[in-house]
Amino acid sequence: MVTYSQLNQVDLGSLASAAGDFESLVRKWDLTQRMQNEVIGTIQQSGWHGDAAGLANAKLTWARDQIHAAFEEASALAKTLRDAHTEITAAKNDLTTAVRNATDAGLTVDGEGAVHWPPPTNQADKKDAEYAKSWKAKAETAAKAIGDAIDRATEADLDASRALGDDTGSDGTAFNANPVGGIPEEEAKAATYILSLGDQASDAQLKHLQDILDHHKNDPRFATSFYGNQDPATFMAKYGAMAQSGDYANSSARTAAIKGIQQDLGLTLATATDTKQPLHVSDEWEKRFRAAGATQIPLRPGADPAKSPYGYQIMANLLRNGSYDAHFLNPVAQHITQLTQENPTRWEVPAYRSGGYPFDEFKFIGQPDKDGNLKGFNPLSGILDAFGHSPEAATKFFNDPVTTYNPDGSVKSTGGQNTYFKLFTDSGNNSVLVDMNYPLRPLEGGPADPSNVGPLGHALEAAATGRAWDDTQGKYPPHTPEMSAVMQQVVQRFGNGDGPSLLHGGVFADLNGSVGNMTANYIADIENSLEGPGAKEPTPGVAPAPGVATEFAQKDVQRLLLAVGRDTDAYASIATAQQAYQTAQIQQVMAHPELHKDLGMSIENVTKPGGIVTGLITSAMSDEIFHNHAVSDQEVNDAIDAKKDIAKTVWDYTGGVAAEKIPKVGGLINDQVDEIMTNVANSYHVDTTNQAADDAGTKVATSVTGSQQAVVDAVKSAGRDAGLDPNYLSELARQGSASLDAGCNTGHRLFQQQQAAAAAAKE
C-alpha cells in the first residue's frame, strides 16, 4: 500500500520519462515492415527452393512475428506507464489539495498523514463540549480526503503492477503478442473476472466491481475492453445470476452494490457502443448482442432454457441508464419491437416458469408499479427509457426508414415505411406495450400498460425536443424537421378523434406530463397555430424560435390543450412556458420601438394568442377542480411551484438569447424576468376553501388577472429600459392586458363549446 509520505514526496519525473521513451519507441517502430520487406520478401523472390529454404522461411517468419509481438508488448507498456503517471499524478494533486484545505481550516497534518486540531487555549473552550466535537468533524473530513487520495494512488500502483506483469507475460523465451494494454484494460479484466463469478461473488467482490465500474464507466478504453472481450450471451447469463442473487440475499450491502452495478453497467454499455469514440465495440459484437437478446438465457447450471428469461429482459433495466448511440440502440429497439409484434406473450415466460406468484427469482428484470406489482417484463419499457435519455436516437427511431430483422437479430430487409409512432400509440387491445396482468394471468393481448406508457412519453419528449426528458437544466436545441415531424404526430394523434379521451383518464393518461413538456417547448408554434390563417407573419423585431417552424391544425391544438390542461403537471408546464414566451416577445418588441408603426398593435399581436392558451388550459383545470373534484389545491400549487424553472428555459429558447444581446434588455434576465415568473406562478395558485362549483369562473378570472398583470409588468419593465414615456407605457400595458383578456375569453368560449358538444353527444 502506498503511504502518505511516499505519495507526498514522490518524484514522478522518471515515470513520465519512461512512458515517453516507450511512446517514442512505438511511434518510430518500423522493424516489422523492414523484416518483411528487406529479409523475408527478398528471400522469397530469390528463387531459393527446397527443404532448407522452407525451414529458413519458417524461422524468419517466426522472427518477424516475434518482432511484431515486441511491438505489441512495447505499445502496451507505453500505455500502462502513461496511465500510471496520469493516475498517480492526479492522486498526488488530490493529496496536495486535501492538505491545503485542512491547513486552511486550522488543522495540521503530520509526516504520517494524521490530522490534528489545536488544543483549547482558554477555560471556556475547555468546558465547551462543542469545541472538540466541531474540530473532530473537520478533522474527519480532512482525513477522509487524504485517505481517498492515498487509496487512489494505491489502486493505480497495484493496477500498473498487474498490467505490467500481464503485458510482459510469463514466457521468458518470447514476447507477449496479446498484452492487456494499460490500467483501464487491466481494470476491465478484473471486472470481467468478478462478473464471471455470477451469484458466487462475495459482497466484498461486488463492492470492488461497483467501484471499478463507477470509476471507469465513461472511459472508452475500459468500456470497450470490458464488453468487447465478453460474449454477450455469457455476459447476460453471469450478470443475470449476480443480479438475481441480490433479490433474495439477506444482505443490504449486497442489494445496494448490485443496484449500483446495474446503473454503472448501463452507463458503461453506452460508452462501449458509442461510435463517436475512436474505441467502441464492433458491429459483429452488436449483432451477437441482438442474437443473445432474443434467446432465453439460463441463469443457473441445469436451468431449463424454456423457462428462463430472454436476454433482452435481463438487459432492460441496464438500458434505462445512459445516453446511447443510435447505431447501437435503434437496431436493438427495432428488433425488440418486431419480436413483440410477432408474439407479445413471449415476455411472460419468467413469470410462469413454475406457475408461481410473485416469481421472486426474476424480480431483478422488472420494475414495481405504484401498487407494488412487478411490471416491466416487456423489455420495450427499458428501451423507451433508453430513448428518453438518447434524444438523437429517439428522433431517428420515429423518423428513419425501418430495418426488418430476423429472429436472431440479423438484417432481413431495409427501407421499410416507419409506422412506429402509430404502433406505439395504438389504443386497441393488441398493443406492443402490454405487460403483466394482476391478479396474475396469462397474457392474451391487451391495451398499453401504464407502466410502459410513461417511458413512451419520455421517448417522445426526447425525440420532439432534442433534450433528455429528465434534463431540467440543459438548453433546448433548435427544432429540426425530424423533431418537428414527431411533434406533429403527437398533436394530431392526441388532439383528434379519441386522442383527448385517451389522455384524460384513458390508457395514455401517463403521457400527460411529457405532452405538457413538449407543448411548452413548442409554445411559439402552438400560439401561431391558435391564431389561424395569417398568423405566420412575423412581428418586427421579434426573433422566431430557433429551428424550423412547425405547423399544427388549429382544431387539434385547441382539443389537445383542453385535454392536457386537466393534468396538473402538463398544466403547470404550459402555463409557465406561455408566460415566459410572452415575456420574451414583449421585451423584444419594446427593445425595438423604431421598427413598429403601431407599438400598441404589436403588443396586442404578441399577447392575444397567449391569452387563448391561458383561457383554454385554465378553463379545463378549473373544471377538474370545481366540477369533477379530480384535482386538489395542493396538487396544482405544488406543480406550479415545481415548474417555475421551466420559465427561464423557455424564455432563453424562444427569445432570451436574442434579448440578451441587447444591453438594456439583457439586464432583465436575473431580476425582472425571475420576478415576473414568480408573480405569475403565484397568480396560478389555487385556494378553493369554502368555494362552490359555481366559483370555477372565479378561478378562471383570477388566473386571467394574474396573466394580465404579467403583461403589464413586462411592458413597463422593458419600456423603462427602452426610455419610453411612462404615460405611454401605461397605455401600452392597458392595450396588452385587454388583448390578453380577449384571447382568454376566446379560449374559455372554446371550452364551453366543447363541453356543450360532449353533453349533447351523451343524450
Side-chain angles (χ1 to χ4, degrees):
M1 178 178 176
V2 174
T3 66
Y4 170 83
S5 60
Q6 287 173 334
L7 182 59
N8 191 40
Q9 299 172 19
V10 66
D11 180 0
L12 295 170
S14 58
L15 181 57
S17 296
D21 289 344
F22 269 96
E23 289 166 344
S24 178
L25 174 65
V26 170
R27 282 195 300 270
K28 297 176 181 178
W29 192 281
D30 65 349
L31 295 178
T32 306
Q33 186 176 6
R34 289 180 59 191
M35 181 70 174
Q36 177 63 43
N37 295 342
E38 298 176 17
V39 180
I40 297 176
T42 300
I43 292 176
Q44 289 175 340
Q45 295 171 18
S46 68
W48 183 24
H49 300 288
D51 292 342
L55 182 61
N57 186 64
K59 288 187 174 182
L60 290 171
T61 300
W62 178 86
R64 180 205 60 196
D65 291 343
Q66 280 297 294
I67 291 172
H68 183 68
F71 169 77
E72 295 292 342
E73 189 172 309
S75 297
L77 291 171
K79 289 181 182 178
T80 299
L81 293 170
R82 178 58 64 195
D83 290 340
H85 178 264
T86 299
E87 194 66 11
I88 296 175
T89 298
K92 186 173 184 180
N93 290 338
D94 289 347
L95 181 65
T96 300
T97 300
V99 172
R100 183 174 61 250
N101 290 342
T103 303
D104 291 346
L107 301 164
T108 56
V109 181
D110 64 25
E112 300 300 319
V115 181
H116 307 275
W117 64 83
T121 57
N122 54 57
Q123 289 299 319
D125 287 343
K126 290 179 181 179
K127 296 179 180 179
D128 185 2
E130 291 299 316
Y131 180 88
K133 185 177 179 181
S134 63
W135 278 108
K136 182 181 179 182
K138 292 180 183 179
E140 288 175 346
T141 299
K144 183 180 185 306
I146 291 171
D148 288 345
I150 294 172
D151 288 345
R152 183 175 185 179
T154 299
E155 187 71 20
D157 183 56
L158 292 173
D159 286 341
S161 176
R162 287 192 293 263
L164 289 169
D166 288 338
D167 289 341
T168 55
S170 58
D171 187 349
T173 64
F175 288 102
N176 184 5
N178 296 295
V180 170
I183 288 180
E185 291 81 5
E186 179 65 32
E187 290 279 64
K189 183 179 176 183
T192 302
Y193 169 72
I194 297 174
L195 189 81
S196 72
L197 299 176
D199 59 349
Q200 298 302 305
S202 67
D203 288 5
Q205 287 172 318
L206 290 181
K207 180 63 171 63
H208 184 48
L209 175 59
Q210 183 187 5
D211 290 343
I212 293 174
L213 291 169
D214 194 54
H215 184 69
H216 290 288
K217 58 182 178 286
N218 297 318
D219 182 351
R221 282 174 57 188
F222 170 85
T224 303
S225 179
F226 175 74
Y227 275 108
N229 289 326
Q230 295 188 72
D231 176 66
T234 302
F235 169 83
M236 292 174 189
K238 296 302 183 182
Y239 163 70
M242 178 180 287
Q244 188 182 61
S245 72
D247 288 335
Y248 55 81
N250 187 23
S251 168
S252 58
R254 188 177 191 86
T255 301
I258 288 177
K259 184 177 180 181
I261 288 168
Q262 181 185 86
Q263 181 179 26
D264 286 339
L265 282 174
L267 296 170
T268 304
L269 180 61
T271 302
T273 54
D274 184 1
T275 57
K276 299 180 184 67
Q277 299 285 351
L279 283 176
H280 53 79
V281 295
S282 66
D283 288 354
E284 175 60 28
W285 187 92
E286 293 187 6
K287 180 181 175 182
R288 287 189 285 125
F289 180 92
R290 296 194 297 272
T295 304
Q296 289 176 260
I297 307 286
L299 303 184
R300 293 169 180 252
D304 184 357
K307 295 180 179 179
S308 300
Y310 285 87
Y312 280 141
Q313 291 179 300
I314 295 170
M315 297 300 298
N317 280 339
L318 271 64
L319 291 169
R320 296 181 195 274
N321 304 286
S323 178
Y324 288 87
D325 189 336
H327 182 83
F328 165 75
L329 184 60
N330 290 34
V332 171
Q334 294 196 66
H335 190 209
I336 295 176
T337 300
Q338 291 159 18
L339 290 171
T340 307
Q341 281 183 280
E342 175 195 341
N343 177 20
T345 65
R346 73 171 66 241
W347 310 122
E348 72 179 5
V349 169
Y352 291 96
R353 66 181 300 270
S354 59
Y357 172 83
F359 40 94
D360 286 341
E361 290 187 41
F362 296 108
K363 286 166 64 176
F364 75 93
I365 69 175
Q367 291 273 307
D369 66 9
K370 59 183 178 61
D371 299 317
N373 293 322
L374 202 61
K375 295 294 184 86
F377 277 71
N378 184 340
L380 282 176
S381 176
I383 283 290
L384 290 170
D385 259 342
F387 277 133
H389 296 120
S390 313
E392 181 181 349
T395 305
K396 286 178 173 291
F397 180 76
F398 290 108
N399 278 285
D400 286 359
V402 168
T403 297
T404 302
Y405 291 88
N406 292 308
D408 66 354
S410 59
V411 174
K412 182 178 182 180
S413 64
T414 60
Q417 182 180 2
N418 192 319
T419 58
Y420 285 138
F421 180 87
K422 181 179 179 181
L423 177 69
F424 278 83
T425 58
D426 183 0
S427 59
N429 284 319
N430 196 31
S431 174
V432 293
L433 296 181
V434 69
D435 216 302
M436 298 309 302
N437 298 302
Y438 289 84
L440 198 64
R441 59 188 185 278
L443 284 175
E444 297 174 349
D449 192 277
S451 64
N452 298 333
V453 170
L456 172 61
H458 301 161
L460 291 173
E461 185 176 341
T465 67
R467 192 180 80 170
W469 76 274
D470 53 357
D471 177 8
T472 59
Q473 302 299 320
K475 291 185 178 295
Y476 286 119
H479 294 154
T480 65
E482 293 75 21
M483 292 160 60
S484 174
V486 175
M487 188 61 187
Q488 285 176 319
Q489 291 185 85
V490 170
V491 173
Q492 184 178 33
R493 176 69 181 94
F494 295 106
N496 207 348
D498 65 347
S501 63
L502 294 174
L503 291 178
H504 184 217
V507 294
F508 288 109
D510 285 354
L511 282 185
N512 274 295
S514 287
V515 173
N517 291 340
M518 287 183 266
T519 304
N521 179 245
Y522 281 80
I523 192 67
D525 302 303
I526 291 290
E527 291 196 4
N528 275 340
S529 299
L530 285 172
E531 287 189 275
K536 307 301 180 293
E537 292 296 325
T539 300
V542 176
V548 301
T550 308
E551 295 187 17
F552 307 113
Q554 185 184 46
K555 292 293 184 183
D556 290 351
V557 172
Q558 292 170 359
R559 286 189 287 260
L560 179 71
L561 290 174
L562 288 171
V564 296
R566 295 177 178 277
D567 178 82
T568 53
D569 192 50
Y571 169 81
S573 294
I574 299 168
T576 52
Q578 182 274 319
Q579 295 291 357
Y581 176 54
Q582 182 173 266
T583 299
Q585 285 186 302
I586 290 173
Q587 288 175 341
Q588 291 182 65
V589 168
M590 300 303 291
H592 300 283
E594 73 282 357
L595 299 179
H596 305 273
K597 293 181 180 179
D598 187 337
L599 197 56
M601 181 63 70
S602 295
I603 293 294
E604 290 179 10
N605 288 339
V606 299
T607 53
K608 185 176 180 181
I612 299 175
V613 172
T614 300
L616 287 166
I617 63 173
T618 304
S619 296
M621 179 52 67
S622 297
D623 190 56
E624 285 295 282
I625 295 171
F626 291 95
H627 292 156
N628 298 338
H629 304 290
V631 177
S632 70
D633 295 3
Q634 192 66 41
E635 287 177 282
V636 178
N637 296 341
D638 288 349
I640 288 291
D641 290 338
K643 292 291 183 176
K644 281 194 293 186
D645 288 344
I646 203 172
K648 180 62 165 60
T649 304
V650 172
W651 187 87
D652 281 340
Y653 177 72
T654 58
V657 174
E660 199 169 10
K661 295 177 182 177
I662 306 168
K664 292 183 178 179
V665 178
L668 295 170
I669 296 173
N670 294 322
D671 43 44
Q672 295 166 6
V673 171
D674 289 343
E675 182 181 350
I676 289 170
M677 295 310 151
T678 298
N679 291 338
V680 168
N682 292 337
S683 75
Y684 277 101
H685 280 176
V686 176
D687 183 3
T688 60
T689 307
N690 299 321
Q691 286 186 317
D694 291 341
D695 288 330
T698 303
K699 168 66 186 105
V700 175
T702 301
S703 293
V704 171
T705 300
S707 299
Q708 289 174 310
Q709 187 58 50
V711 170
V712 171
D713 291 344
V715 169
K716 290 187 174 181
S717 297
R720 279 195 299 269
D721 279 359
L724 299 180
D725 178 73
N727 293 326
Y728 182 40
L729 285 179
S730 296
E731 178 58 31
L732 291 176
R734 281 193 294 272
Q735 282 184 258
S737 177
S739 177
L740 182 131
D741 185 46
C744 289
N745 288 334
T746 299
H748 186 57
R749 185 170 62 254
L750 291 169
F751 165 77
Q752 291 175 319
Q753 291 172 357
Q754 185 208 53
Q755 293 292 89
K762 292 180 180 179
E763 294 178 358

